[in-house]
Amino acid sequence: MQNNDEFQMPDGAELVGRDAMTFRMQITVPSDEDGFVGRECPECEMTFRMDASRCEGIGNLWCVYCGHHAEYAEFLTAQQRNRAVQAAEDLGAQLVHESMRHIFRGLSRPGSRRSVSVSGTARPFRPRPLPGINEERLVRVRTCQECQMRYAIFGEHRYCPVCGKLSAVTIAFDALQADVNRLEALNALPPETRAVLREQGVFTRNWVDTIENVVGVAEALASAVFRAAVPNADDILRGKGSIFQRLDDMADLFVAQGFADLRAGLGPDLWRRLIECWAARHVLTHNDGVVDDKYLAKVPASSSRVGQRLVISEAKCRQAIDDAKTLCGAIAQLTD
């Protein structure tokens, strides 16, 4: 126990200031065995973890998921709040006890007109040990390239908790890696579970989603890179629609602004696979996967016929992810 003046505080709690009836209390938050402490966003209520050794002196945090920006203390987890509340409750109980003791002392003072006989034995107050912290363990640890803060995430994220918004390149490669991890997670399931999911179309749905995702990731990166590099980007892009979804138009756009031609850098075979992937994404998203004339115009070597439905395989997904990583790397290097 820690004794601060006349109040008994449990280990992990300390009174650090007092002004009239206002008390300032400091509650320690124990880190886990990896040296991380939990944080919970007051806006989206999702949790992440941070390297405790680097948290001292941090004034404000960003939620790694939604980008909510607030004071560090606003990001307490439920267990951490319970720890602080219990310490405050025990301090409150001592304050009540102290107030009652003064009242009865005045009533029993000899010579007082209101003097009454008060007797009893006061038991010393024993504050309850603070509850421990047993929160979700680390899943994926990231290190911010800007501030070197180590933090753990439990889902798709867009922000460093200290620096704020991550770079478009980091976001793109994180998203592509998430698609890889999703494929791996399904393959790691027990055979009987995989069989049930396959029958229910979960695997094929996942493969379709992967194709759609990789196109969206590359589109978002290309748009971010172009807007950051070209001062009058908004004027140039006005009226061009979703130009970053159209590979050749996107490549021509960068060339027109004096950047290298992506097609030349990536080579014809890779560019052909990308064109095929982008065309597949179009019919999967807008035509329920049914082949149309527009798809065949983009992929003339396809054996599919108009009206047939595209069949996506895991192998095609993995190739699409690898190709998208190469494309994203090339886009990122255009403005270096």
Side-chain angles (χ1 to χ4, degrees):
M1 303 292 177
Q2 298 173 348
N3 195 333
N4 189 308
D5 296 328
E6 70 270 33
F7 299 109
Q8 294 289 328
M9 305 301 295
D11 290 334
E14 180 183 2
L15 286 177
V16 295
R18 179 176 180 178
D19 180 13
M21 290 303 293
T22 300
F23 293 81
R24 293 189 297 279
M25 186 185 305
Q26 181 173 299
I27 311 295
T28 61
V29 177
S31 58
D32 61 22
E33 60 187 56
D34 298 297
F36 283 67
V37 293
R39 300 283 83 188
E40 180 179 305
C41 175
E43 180 69 23
C44 70
E45 300 182 346
M46 294 182 66
T47 60
F48 55 98
R49 301 185 72 75
M50 297 176 61
D51 185 345
S53 67
R54 299 180 61 87
C55 289
E56 185 175 354
I58 294 178
N60 295 291
L61 286 185
W62 277 266
C63 171
V64 299
Y65 308 109
C66 72
H68 179 71
H69 190 217
E71 292 184 2
Y72 181 88
E74 296 296 317
F75 286 80
L76 290 177
T77 67
Q79 292 186 36
Q80 292 165 5
R81 284 193 295 271
N82 291 340
R83 186 175 169 89
V85 167
Q86 180 173 303
E89 288 176 346
D90 280 358
L91 175 60
Q94 293 181 77
L95 289 170
V96 171
H97 175 79
E98 185 70 11
S99 297
M100 295 301 294
R101 187 171 65 85
H102 284 296
I103 291 172
F104 284 118
R105 180 185 299 168
L107 291 175
S108 61
R109 184 181 304 120
S112 172
R113 293 181 180 181
R114 297 177 297 170
S115 178
V116 296
S117 177
V118 179
S119 64
T121 301
R123 291 180 298 177
F125 184 85
R126 297 292 182 185
R128 297 166 291 175
L130 294 182
I133 304 293
N134 184 23
E135 296 171 338
E136 190 171 5
R137 290 294 308 279
L138 305 183
V139 172
R140 186 156 65 107
V141 177
R142 292 295 316 277
T143 299
C144 177
Q145 296 179 356
E146 297 296 326
C147 70
Q148 303 305 306
M149 169 57 75
R150 297 173 67 235
Y151 58 97
I153 55 176
F154 302 89
E156 192 173 38
H157 77 301
R158 293 290 183 270
Y159 302 84
C160 163
V162 177
C163 293
K165 191 170 179 61
L166 297 171
S167 71
V169 176
T170 298
I171 292 172
F173 280 94
D174 270 5
L176 293 174
Q177 188 58 44
D179 278 314
V180 174
N181 295 340
R182 189 170 54 170
L183 294 174
E184 298 292 351
L186 283 176
N187 287 334
L189 294 172
E192 59 274 14
T193 303
R194 295 181 62 212
V196 172
L197 294 179
R198 183 178 291 108
E199 292 171 3
Q200 296 175 345
V202 173
F203 277 78
T204 51
R205 182 69 259 172
N206 183 46
W207 297 336
V208 168
D209 289 346
T210 299
I211 296 297
E212 294 176 336
N213 289 344
V214 299
V215 174
V217 168
E219 174 192 359
L221 176 60
S223 176
V225 168
F226 187 84
R227 292 177 185 278
V230 180
N232 59 333
D234 288 340
D235 294 334
I236 296 172
L237 295 174
R238 188 173 292 114
K240 296 187 183 297
S242 303
I243 190 170
F244 296 105
Q245 290 183 4
R246 307 189 297 271
L247 277 175
D248 282 313
D249 289 346
M250 175 187 72
D252 290 338
L253 180 68
F254 277 105
V255 169
Q257 297 304 312
F259 298 105
D261 192 335
L262 288 167
R263 290 161 293 205
L266 296 177
D269 291 338
L270 176 53
W271 194 258
R272 174 186 53 78
R273 291 198 304 270
L274 289 169
I275 291 291
E276 182 177 348
C277 177
W278 262 239
R281 178 261 177 194
H282 180 83
V283 297
L284 291 169
T285 302
H286 300 291
N287 205 30
D288 193 31
V290 177
V291 174
D292 55 13
D293 289 328
K294 187 174 183 179
Y295 175 82
L296 293 179
K298 290 285 186 181
V299 192
S302 173
S303 60
S304 299
R305 297 180 180 180
V306 173
Q308 289 183 336
R309 201 163 184 274
L310 284 181
V311 176
I312 305 300
S313 66
E314 181 177 342
K316 287 184 179 180
C317 285
R318 291 186 180 275
Q319 183 66 67
I321 294 171
D322 288 343
D323 290 344
K325 286 181 177 180
T326 304
L327 172 62
C328 287
I331 292 172
Q333 292 174 4
L334 283 176
T335 58
D336 285 349

